[in-house]
Amino acid sequence: MHYFDHCASTPPREEVIQTLAEVMRIHYANPSSIHQAGADAGQLIERSRGLVAKLFKTKPEEWVFTSGGTESNNLAIRGAAKQFAGRGKHLITTMVEHASVYETFQQLEQEGYAVTYLPVDELGIVSVESLAAALTEETILVSIMHVNNETGAIQPIEEIGELLKSRPKTLFHVDAVQSIGKLPIDLAGWGIDLLSGSAHKVRGPKGVGIVYIRSGLAIAPLFTGGEQERALRAGTSNTPAIVASAKAFRMAIEAAENHNKQWTLLRNQLIDRLAAIPELIVNSSKDSLRSAPHIVHFSYPGMKPEVIVHALEELGFIVSTKSACSSKDDKPSRVIMAMTRDARRAASGIRVSFGDEHTAEDVDKLADAIARTVVDLKPMERRI
């Protein structure tokens, strides 16, 4: 079976599995306990925090461990919105954010906040000028993802951060779940105040996320009931998964440059093959400044995406529709609708996402399978 769904989840590295098992076997004490076994477990967590901090050229105390990307996004957004509501209640995000961001802002609207959802162009990229025009004296938070989880579109995070540097009362949050280990990230240089990541997107275990909270910045907690994670995330820390996740982040970031080159070649190869199939529309770009190297998204207007997914699975290839969090929702993709305003195109999208195990031969086999699937399914085309 050829697995091309790394954006949804990645196969954990063998070294990560071994670390997880070893820590689980030896360091099972509660890391908050005051006895030596607890202290030993707590030291492992702090060592892991220091490793993550070093990877991003930051301070250990600027990082919080969570249960995953969704919690990380919720903590950063809701924590900032609640903490600084006294400054203003205007928030800005985009129409193409992951559900864990987009739906959090929708909830905040119901709680009395005003939210501006910025539009995007045909490649799914927001305009810095539109953001500048949307800012007001009441704006306390801007949240914009780095890499889109469906199409791979890269947002102009550096330019946005530069714009916001002159507005110290407006915080800048970046969802980097799909960019950590794939693209460079400069937290200080880009003026990022809050950043979210997830270990299982970089061949780590599920159930661990990270949040960067700039030094000197206080936000409100989501959970109460304990002093863990700077009192921002009450609950017993998952020592084995945190330690294994830190290793996964390190290995992914250290190998990112080489993998980026490999994935760029594979992305361009697949886009060229898909562009030669008349029934398909490619929604991702070959421009490496505007599109991440590990994601290719395409549509087959008139065909239900789950039919394509299952047809490819029968041929030995695993791909996906929208993000895994939304894949069981049969509504047209909100992301592709924002880009194209074409309901048929948005209702028939397929995402391919690469891992470091993939080769040019694998991509050719996938492209052949997609071409065969299109031929087999064409008689089933219908208007949707």
Side-chain angles (χ1 to χ4, degrees):
M1 190 69 72
H2 296 271
Y3 183 78
F4 283 93
D5 195 18
H6 279 248
C7 278
S9 194
T10 55
R13 297 182 187 278
E14 187 58 37
E15 302 94 323
V16 170
I17 295 173
Q18 291 173 2
T19 295
L20 179 70
E22 181 181 357
V23 176
M24 184 178 290
R25 182 172 59 251
I26 299 172
H27 297 283
Y28 46 80
N30 190 319
S32 297
S33 297
I34 62 172
H35 48 64
Q36 188 59 51
D40 290 344
Q43 287 175 4
L44 283 179
I45 291 176
E46 294 313 310
R47 195 179 304 164
S48 300
R49 197 186 315 277
L51 174 56
V52 171
K54 185 177 179 180
L55 292 170
F56 290 94
K57 299 180 174 63
T58 52
K59 303 173 185 176
E61 59 268 25
E62 294 178 303
W63 292 92
V64 170
F65 292 113
T66 71
S67 67
T70 291
E71 185 189 336
S72 293
N73 281 331
N74 272 262
L75 174 58
I77 294 166
R78 295 190 68 88
K82 296 295 185 182
Q83 184 75 20
F84 297 103
R87 289 183 185 173
K89 301 190 78 171
H90 180 233
L91 315 170
I92 298 176
T93 188
T94 80
M95 290 295 297
V96 295
E97 299 299 310
H98 185 271
S100 63
V101 170
Y102 187 81
E103 292 180 15
T104 297
F105 278 103
Q106 289 191 313
Q107 287 183 342
L108 288 169
E109 278 190 289
Q110 296 172 4
E111 296 170 21
Y113 291 80
V115 181
T116 298
Y117 298 92
L118 299 174
V120 295
D121 65 16
E122 67 279 359
L123 288 178
I125 299 174
V126 72
S127 159
V128 179
E129 290 74 21
S130 69
L131 170 59
L135 291 166
T136 75
E137 292 303 314
E138 299 290 311
T139 307
I140 57 172
L141 176 67
V142 173
S143 177
I144 296 179
M145 68 191 342
H146 191 187
V147 169
N148 185 267
N149 53 288
E150 288 187 39
T151 68
I154 301 173
Q155 300 298 347
I157 298 301
E158 183 175 2
E159 292 85 350
I160 292 169
E162 190 64 33
L163 170 68
L164 296 177
K165 283 179 182 178
S166 62
R167 299 178 58 94
K169 292 186 178 181
T170 301
L171 300 179
F172 184 25
H173 167 249
V174 175
D175 173 0
V177 167
Q178 294 293 353
S179 62
I180 293 175
K182 280 84 175 180
L183 297 176
I185 297 172
D186 184 355
L187 287 165
W190 296 354
I192 296 172
D193 299 297
L194 300 149
L195 179 133
S196 309
S198 180
H200 79 106
K201 307 297 187 181
V202 293
R203 302 194 64 177
K206 295 175 182 63
V208 176
I210 51 175
V211 182
Y212 166 76
I213 305 172
R214 176 181 48 77
S215 182
L217 174 62
I219 64 173
L222 284 184
F223 307 145
T224 56
E227 295 299 312
Q228 296 92 342
E229 298 300 314
R230 292 167 46 192
L232 286 172
R233 209 272 174 178
T236 302
S237 300
N238 187 344
T239 307
I242 287 172
V243 175
S245 294
K247 174 174 278 193
F249 281 120
R250 176 182 63 78
M251 296 180 74
I253 290 172
E254 289 178 350
E257 185 175 353
N258 288 335
H259 290 157
N260 188 300
K261 294 175 181 177
Q262 171 191 351
W263 293 328
T264 298
L265 294 173
L266 299 182
R267 177 198 65 195
N268 294 348
Q269 176 187 350
L270 182 58
I271 287 177
D272 287 341
R273 289 291 307 274
L274 296 177
I277 302 174
E279 292 83 1
L280 305 183
I281 302 174
V282 179
N283 299 310
S284 300
S285 169
K286 290 169 64 176
D287 183 346
S288 292
L289 295 178
R290 296 167 67 84
S291 190
H294 62 296
I295 303 174
V296 174
H297 190 280
F298 66 93
S299 298
Y300 182 177
M303 188 60 58
K304 285 185 172 293
E306 59 268 27
V307 174
I308 303 171
V309 168
H310 293 313
L312 287 171
E313 188 173 10
E314 289 182 4
L315 296 176
F317 296 88
I318 296 177
V319 299
S320 61
T321 55
K322 296 177 281 189
S323 68
C325 297
S326 305
S327 61
K328 294 181 180 179
D329 177 2
D330 61 1
K331 296 178 182 177
S333 163
R334 169 171 44 81
V335 173
I336 304 303
M337 280 295 292
M339 292 167 54
T340 69
R341 296 165 182 78
D342 183 336
R344 297 182 77 236
R345 187 167 161 183
S348 59
I350 297 293
R351 181 184 67 187
V352 176
S353 46
F354 304 120
D356 53 17
E357 76 272 23
H358 293 129
T359 65
E361 182 181 2
D362 294 328
V363 170
D364 268 335
K365 289 179 180 178
L366 171 63
D368 290 341
I370 292 172
R372 174 180 167 182
T373 298
V374 170
V375 171
D376 291 345
L377 295 181
K378 190 165 180 60
M380 298 172 56
E381 278 186 26
R382 65 182 183 85
R383 299 189 65 83
I384 58 175

